[in-house]
Amino acid sequence: MTDIRAMTRNAICEEILWKSSPGLIPYPVALSFMEGRAQAIHQGTAEPLVWLVEHPPVFTAGTSAKDADLYNPHGYPTYSAGRGGQWTYHGPGQRLGYVMMNLTKPNGTVQSRDLRAFVAGLEGWMTDALARLGVTAFTREGRIGVWTIDPLTGQEAKIGALGIRVSRWVSWHGVSINVSPDLTDFDGIVPCGIREFGVTSLQRFDSSLTMADLDNALAAAWPERFGSIPRAA
């Protein structure tokens, strides 16, 4: 991780625990951990945490998922995620950033108890991190997540997804950004219920970019949006 302390401003006075887990973390393990951590944060017995992981191939259903949007030709496991949104694919080469944070107080640009601002903050965090890697990304009205112009097709494509759950004003779940996944695996669903746009990845822009590069960019971009400095858990 880069030295985030070098970016400290007077307005940034807190730290947030930051954990990156190697290997592929089974999705049910992540769900169980997040649920327990969110409850502990609410009870005041654990600190907020950003957790960076990868999963084995899996399709997860949000609360708005439709059965007709799941094809799953490879028979990957499917799980009800309990978050907002529709069907999402997770797999090797995709970075998940799970954000477990107390939303009863302000967090940088995000005011207390403001879910719209929290979602905007997460989207801005992704676009800021991608910009540090030379990728211009953006949001679109009516389309959740982060988009860019695919360098191979010249068309808009999704590079980052978002799905959150908030329990007693503590967030869990979070964001995903495609670094080097097998993009054909996304053909097993209609991603986030949007049929007319494809998906893309960082390696389509620069094949030398790695998961570590993205992790460093995410850590560097975090303070400007959420007002806290990443500290290794």
Side-chain angles (χ1 to χ4, degrees), residues 74-93:
H74 300 299
Y76 292 147
T78 62
Y79 295 97
S80 175
R83 52 158 175 80
Q86 302 188 42
W87 285 105
T88 299
Y89 167 77
H90 300 312

Side-chain angles (χ1 to χ4, degrees), residues 28-174:
V29 172
L31 273 183
S32 178
F33 175 86
M34 284 191 290
E35 184 173 17
R37 185 74 178 212
Q39 182 177 3
I41 292 171
H42 170 71
Q43 294 171 344
T45 58
E47 296 181 56
L49 173 70
V50 175
W51 186 28
L52 304 180
V53 303
E54 287 179 83
H55 293 310
V58 62
F59 293 118
T60 70
T63 54
S64 301
K66 302 179 179 65
D67 290 344
D69 288 342
L70 175 68
Y71 312 130
N72 198 5
H74 300 299
Y76 292 147
T78 62
Y79 295 97
S80 175
R83 52 158 175 80
Q86 302 188 42
W87 285 105
T88 299
Y89 167 77
H90 300 312
Q94 183 191 68
R95 176 54 88 207
L96 277 293
Y98 289 134
V99 179
M100 289 153 275
M101 195 160 63
N102 180 3
L103 302 182
T104 64
K105 66 181 189 66
N107 292 276
T109 62
V110 178
Q111 295 302 305
S112 62
R113 301 176 188 267
D114 189 335
L115 295 183
R116 188 183 296 263
F118 179 56
V119 168
L122 292 174
E123 290 177 330
W125 175 41
M126 286 192 283
T127 59
D128 292 349
L130 290 167
R132 290 175 177 271
L133 300 176
V135 176
T136 300
F138 45 84
T139 58
R140 289 295 194 212
E141 186 71 27
R143 284 193 243 150
I144 199 73
V146 169
W147 304 78
T148 188
I149 302 300
D150 188 292
L152 299 186
T153 67
Q155 303 296 313
E156 285 190 20
K158 195 168 196 174
I159 193 168
L162 183 152
I164 62 169
R165 182 171 179 177
V166 175
S167 303
R168 298 178 181 177
W169 288 108
V170 176
S171 67
W172 44 307
H173 295 277

Side-chain angles (χ1 to χ4, degrees), residues 16-39:
I16 186 167
L17 291 180
W18 200 270
K19 178 181 179 181
S20 178
S21 292
L24 301 178
I25 305 299
Y27 190 74
V29 172
L31 273 183
S32 178
F33 175 86
M34 284 191 290
E35 184 173 17
R37 185 74 178 212
Q39 182 177 3

Side-chain angles (χ1 to χ4, degrees), residues 2-13:
T2 54
D3 185 5
I4 305 306
R5 295 175 188 277
M7 299 181 298
T8 303
R9 300 180 304 158
N10 290 337
I12 300 175
C13 57

